[in-house]
Amino acid sequence: MDAILGNFTPVRTNGGGDNGDMLEPASSPPWPWRIIIPTAVAAYLTLVQVLRFRALRALERKYAAYLDDPYRLNYRQAAEIMRLHQLRDTPFLFYFGTQWALVKSYGMATGTPLLVRTRQLCDPSRVGRRAEDTAIVLLELLVGDIDSDRGRRATARLNWMHARYASRIHRGDYVHTLSLFVLEPSRWIDRYDWRGVTRLEKVAYFVYWRELARRMGFIDIMPDTLEALEEWKLAYEAEHMYFIPENRMVAEATVDLFLRGVPTLLHGFMRALFVSFIDEKPVRDALGFPDPPRWAAALTAGFFRLRGFAIRHLFLPRAAPLDPMARPDKDGRLYRDARFVGFEPWYVADTWWNRLLLWVSSAGKTTPGGRFQGRGYMPEELGPVEFEKLGREEVLRQAEAMKEYAHVDKDGPIGAGCPVGFGV
């Protein structure tokens, strides 16, 4: 009888009838979701912890011989090390910090009068393209290969534009801007991202920028170490960072650029957040900005810390590095990916997909084509529209001269000397 009943368990019921109590089978045990779900969550979080630092540990193993003295790295080794936090581990705050390095540079009273005179950062019709051109040049230099043909042309173009204003640019301002590019991203990452930047990565970034300083012609005034660069920066700011009206004009134009896609009703709120990002009072004073409200500073810090915690503990590492580089098309020009447009879709192909993507991301306010031309760029043409057709032959000659000083053996030591005189 037991074999027939199996798991039939008698359950007494009160039917209230004359037949007395009846026996009913017990319900089957529920599917064990209470076990499966916690186990799956625990397994996922464990996997996050196992994989989160794997790429960094692999990088440190590869460059273990340089951990004690990272200054022995050459710039190509430094470029490989940079790619991890630039494109995979902490790209958002890396590029956010780079953006705010530029904003901080507007606090230097020696530099903003020229920016106002040229109107590149004060004219609403120009500031968007200027921002996109700056982003493209930085990508070509930092993410691309500076020894490649396009990398050499981008470097030469940057030097050509600087040479046009050489008599009005303090050479120290070049080093100061470079110091902000070196120090500011790691400051943001160390403070708010899911992991800090290691010493190996910081020195590698310095080594790489020092090579760029060599190619831009001011290596003679560039400090030899990261620590010396930070000391130099503070001393230079103490002398040259102070308020003048031109600082405020350039900074306000930048604020207006950031607020273009924001509803007017939210401008006051977003402006307070913008100022809270400038968390050093001497910089705010030099730009002519008031101290941010306490709620804005708390909201900024809280958001970034919560983001860092969530990425560290809840998200798997990025499966593949970002690839923001423009791609050549059949016409030989370089076309940007619409996903990496900052403010205006310059140099983005006018295709239905890019139109849809930019229309959605800008809430219907921006599409490629029209005044943005819908065509790509050549590195030797970057810059203000009135300079687009100027200097091409000179830039190409300078880029060819740089070839003599690039690595033939890409694992070899850094070359010495300045390739050409750029009038900087």
Side-chain angles (χ1 to χ4, degrees):
M1 191 66 170
D2 290 341
I4 298 175
L5 292 177
N7 290 329
F8 190 98
T9 304
V11 177
R12 187 171 299 277
T13 60
N14 295 321
D18 296 337
N19 294 330
D21 295 339
M22 299 178 62
L23 296 179
E24 292 184 357
S27 60
S28 300
W31 188 257
W33 291 115
R34 294 181 181 179
I35 298 175
I36 291 177
I37 293 177
T39 301
V41 170
Y44 172 80
L45 295 178
T46 301
L47 185 63
V48 169
Q49 302 309 309
V50 170
L51 298 181
R52 180 46 73 185
F53 288 91
R54 185 174 64 169
L56 178 61
R57 297 294 175 253
L59 185 71
E60 290 178 336
R61 286 194 300 271
K62 180 174 182 177
Y63 288 99
Y66 296 89
L67 292 176
D68 290 338
D69 184 12
Y71 291 103
R72 294 189 295 113
L73 293 164
N74 65 52
Y75 72 87
R76 284 200 161 273
Q77 294 170 319
E80 181 182 1
I81 292 169
M82 288 160 43
R83 298 295 186 266
L84 179 61
H85 67 275
Q86 276 184 333
L87 303 176
R88 188 164 183 169
D89 274 6
T90 58
F92 172 75
L93 280 184
F94 174 84
Y95 291 106
F96 185 89
T98 300
Q99 200 167 48
W100 288 99
L102 282 171
V103 173
K104 284 189 173 184
S105 72
Y106 304 151
M108 305 304 293
T110 49
T112 52
L114 177 61
L115 296 175
V116 171
R117 277 198 296 273
T118 61
R119 297 190 60 77
Q120 295 302 318
L121 287 177
C122 294
D123 186 340
S125 66
R126 294 170 175 255
V127 65
R129 175 163 174 165
R130 167 62 184 261
E132 300 299 338
D133 283 347
T134 300
I136 290 170
V137 170
L138 286 173
L139 283 174
E140 293 288 349
L141 299 186
L142 300 181
V143 179
D145 183 350
I146 58 172
D147 289 337
S148 68
D149 180 61
R150 63 189 279 185
R152 288 183 283 105
R153 283 186 286 153
T155 307
R157 182 64 172 182
L158 180 63
N159 290 338
W160 180 85
M161 288 189 288
H162 285 165
R164 296 185 64 84
Y165 304 104
S167 63
R168 289 181 281 175
I169 300 177
H170 289 249
R171 294 187 78 229
D173 283 354
Y174 290 120
V175 180
H176 179 259
T177 302
L178 184 149
S179 73
L180 290 172
F181 283 143
V182 172
L183 298 169
E184 196 66 14
S186 62
R187 192 175 75 88
W188 278 90
I189 294 170
D190 286 348
R191 180 177 297 183
Y192 293 123
D193 223 318
W194 66 269
R195 73 166 177 90
V197 183
T198 67
R199 174 168 170 75
L200 176 69
E201 291 173 308
K202 289 178 180 178
V203 174
Y205 199 44
F206 168 80
V207 168
Y208 189 85
W209 269 106
R210 202 167 190 279
E211 173 63 17
L212 289 176
R214 182 178 76 89
R215 299 183 183 211
M216 293 174 69
F218 54 88
I219 189 64
D220 57 313
I221 59 173
M222 178 75 177
D224 293 328
T225 66
L226 182 64
E227 294 76 14
L229 179 66
E230 189 161 12
E231 292 177 3
W232 183 96
K233 169 184 170 292
L234 294 174
Y236 194 77
E237 288 177 349
E239 182 178 355
H240 298 288
M241 180 178 278
Y242 54 85
F243 175 77
I244 59 173
E246 289 88 340
N247 294 1
R248 181 64 183 263
M249 292 171 65
V250 176
E252 285 291 347
T254 304
V255 174
D256 292 341
L257 180 63
F258 275 90
L259 295 179
R260 275 187 185 180
V262 177
T264 304
L265 183 65
L266 297 177
H267 277 199
F269 173 78
M270 294 304 297
R271 182 177 289 271
L273 292 182
F274 182 100
V275 175
S276 74
F277 295 152
I278 308 170
D279 55 356
E280 296 167 287
K281 183 171 175 54
V283 180
R284 288 198 302 268
D285 291 343
L287 294 174
F289 286 145
D291 292 344
R294 290 184 179 180
W295 64 261
L299 184 60
T300 295
F303 167 78
F304 283 121
R305 290 196 174 100
L306 180 61
R307 175 187 174 275
F309 177 87
I311 293 174
R312 168 68 177 83
H313 296 285
L314 303 179
F315 290 89
L316 290 170
R318 193 180 301 275
L322 294 177
D323 185 8
M325 295 294 290
R327 292 284 179 264
D329 205 347
K330 295 178 181 178
D331 60 0
R333 302 182 72 83
L334 300 168
Y335 287 81
R336 302 171 68 198
D337 189 325
R339 294 173 300 167
F340 298 104
V341 167
F343 302 101
E344 295 178 352
W346 292 95
Y347 319 118
V348 175
D350 188 4
T351 65
W352 71 267
W353 172 250
N354 286 337
R355 280 181 168 270
L356 176 62
L357 186 63
L358 288 168
W359 185 84
V360 171
S361 63
S362 67
K365 296 180 180 180
T366 301
T367 57
R371 76 181 186 90
F372 304 120
Q373 302 176 359
R375 64 191 184 97
Y377 68 89
M378 302 295 286
E380 60 270 22
E381 296 174 357
L382 289 170
V385 64
E386 61 268 26
F387 293 162
E388 189 173 309
K389 301 302 181 182
L390 299 179
R392 176 184 172 85
E393 296 303 320
E394 184 179 354
V395 167
L396 293 178
R397 284 197 301 271
Q398 293 178 357
E400 186 67 20
M402 283 183 178
K403 186 188 296 184
E404 301 297 326
Y405 294 86
H407 283 309
V408 176
D409 176 4
K410 292 190 176 183
D411 292 325
I414 299 175
C418 181
V420 289
F422 298 108
V424 178

